Amino acid sequence: MSQGKVLVLHGPNINLLGTRQPEIYGYETLDDVNNALREKAVLAGWELDCLQSNHEGVLIEAIHAARLDGTVAIIINPAAYTHTSVAILDALNAFEGTVYEVHISNVHKRESFRHHSYVSLRADGVVAGLGTQGYQAALEAVMKAART
């Protein structure tokens, strides 16, 4: 029996991990990140789905679906939509489970427009600047919260 279901959402350009600005985002690919998350989840008895999209509506539809399919937590790296998408915020506000926001880079050390996050208004926790390990930290927080 599953401990619960987690949805990991990756926003625009995250599909380019490993090749896009590796000095900022590192050399791990999106497949590396997703495979490590799935392995950790499965070993702990959790179900985990991953989705990356460069399209805002696809991410919103995935959040809507998560409201109805037993998902208990969403880990989201909204990428550039962090700073622009009230629509993603509204969708997350309609989701009753836990939400963790992840950023690979430390957005607070970057351009000033990256310092504001609409998603943070809904997030139960934010992980920024830990590289791709931030996803692991968020997943661990989800699993730990379920144990308490």
Side-chain angles (χ1 to χ4, degrees):
M1 172 151 252
S2 173
Q3 296 289 326
K5 184 175 180 179
V6 177
L7 174 62
V8 179
L9 295 175
H10 308 279
N13 301 309
I14 303 298
N15 57 304
L16 301 177
L17 271 181
T19 60
R20 174 182 170 237
Q21 296 176 285
E23 69 280 3
I24 294 174
Y25 300 108
Y27 291 92
E28 276 187 289
T29 67
L30 182 57
D31 283 342
D32 293 336
V33 171
N34 288 339
N35 289 338
L37 289 169
R38 281 190 192 99
E39 183 178 328
K40 182 181 194 84
V42 167
L43 287 174
W46 287 75
E47 192 178 333
L48 186 130
D49 292 327
C50 300
L51 172 70
Q52 185 281 326
S53 182
N54 295 316
H55 303 282
E56 185 178 34
V58 171
L59 297 170
I60 291 167
E61 288 174 358
I63 296 165
H64 289 181
R67 296 178 64 224
L68 306 172
D69 70 3
T71 296
V72 298
I74 294 174
I75 297 170
I76 182 169
N77 180 346
Y81 291 136
T82 302
H83 324 292
T84 63
S85 184
V86 173
I88 288 175
L89 170 62
D90 287 348
L92 289 170
N93 279 334
F95 176 74
E96 293 182 6
T98 303
V99 175
Y100 285 101
E101 177 181 358
V102 173
H103 298 285
I104 296 168
S105 68
N106 180 350
V107 293
H108 302 289
K109 287 181 72 175
R110 299 186 63 197
E111 304 94 336
S112 63
F113 72 86
R114 295 184 193 276
H115 299 176
H116 177 265
S117 168
Y118 284 104
V119 172
S120 291
L121 296 171
R122 168 57 180 91
D124 297 293
V126 178
V127 181
L130 296 181
T132 57
Q133 285 301 112
Y135 290 101
Q136 294 281 335
L139 180 59
E140 184 60 39
V142 167
M143 295 188 302
K144 184 175 181 181
R147 291 191 296 263
T148 58

